[in-house]
Amino acid sequence: MNLKEYRVVFAATALVLILLGASPLLNAFLSFPNKATPFSELYVLGQNRIMSEYPVEVTNDTDYRVILGIGNHMHESSYYSVDVKFRNQTQSSPDSSNSTPSSLPPLYEYRAFVGDEQSWETTLVFKLQNITYEGNSTLVGNLSINGQTFTVNTPAAWSSQAGDSYYQLFFELWLYNATSNRFEYNDRAVWIWLNFVP
Amino acid sequence: MLLGVLLIIAFGTSFFTMHFADAQTYPTKSKFGYANDVVEQAFNAVLDAEKAGANVTDLLAQLNDAAGILAQAENIYRTGDYNTAVAQADSVLNASNSIGNQAQALQLATQAQKDETVNLSIIISAASVIVVIIASFLAWRFFKRSYYKRALQMKPEVVSDES
């Protein structure tokens, strides 16, 4: 190697050492944002955390338990609200193609603050009460959720094909938007079908 | 002067009447709205603290307690027990205000710590860079000198021409 080539080696080594020396400062100012798409999860499980243990066949005035959970992958702490609603086969349901929630009013509500990459879970206990039959239809008078009783008076037609009357207990996820200062529907809904056999 | 006094009295009367009317007309709904606002402001403060780099796990746990009570108040309100609902919503206010204040204090402390770290980084980086530049310069000079010395000490050798 001649002197010119040695100079290049010296300069390159010095440059690397300068970058190493400046690394504490670079570390303080450089940040690499998480490029993964932020999203939230909403899930419902049977009481032993098994999907096959969903209450499906339900009877009058009996307690049923499900586990409701939220997972936060929004890259920051988030404030969630979960609306619990009850409908029959014909009433409004959440529409994932239009990202709209059901137009039914919530019966019950959960609020949760969840840290990034954390989850939140709760056990929901519900029972259907004051169920009456009239002709080919069933009428659920009350729905009790976690010990609070709500009047629903929801009829359901008896399905001749299935031989049952179907209802749906469903959950909608709403996410607080800190910019607009309001909850916005997060296009996440989960449900369990409740089959009432007379 | 008299006109001014009359204007002040008229304005003051309408102001107090307006607030009194608000409290009378919307005693329950306004409490919920206010409680929600306070919880949301506390969350915004926690979010700011988190963005500043603070660990907000404890504050989130406290907020969760407050939000649970607030949601419970809304659920009770739906069953028609307005007095209990309002009492529950009221109980959230102090806790949420305290969380908001804690979050702001945490944000300031984290920011101060961050500034201190940045200042220290500037000093360490500047010192390191200066040391590297001076050391490189001296090393180059030493190397160049020894290179020339070696070159000058080289003796020409006669190589036999075998061709």
Side-chain angles (χ1 to χ4, degrees), chain B residues 100-122:
Chain B
N101 292 337
Q102 286 179 62
Q104 280 170 356
L106 187 63
Q107 186 192 352
L108 289 175
T110 309
Q111 194 58 51
Q113 202 178 358
K114 214 174 170 181
D115 290 347
E116 206 175 300
T117 309
V118 168
N119 289 340
L120 196 67
S121 302
I122 291 171

Side-chain angles (χ1 to χ4, degrees), chain A residues 2 15 41 53-54 58 61 71 93 103 146 149 155 167 178:
Chain A
N2 62 25
L15 199 64
E41 304 169 54
E53 287 187 0
Y54 283 143
V58 294
D61 214 16
S93 64
S103 59
N146 294 338
T149 305
Y167 290 94

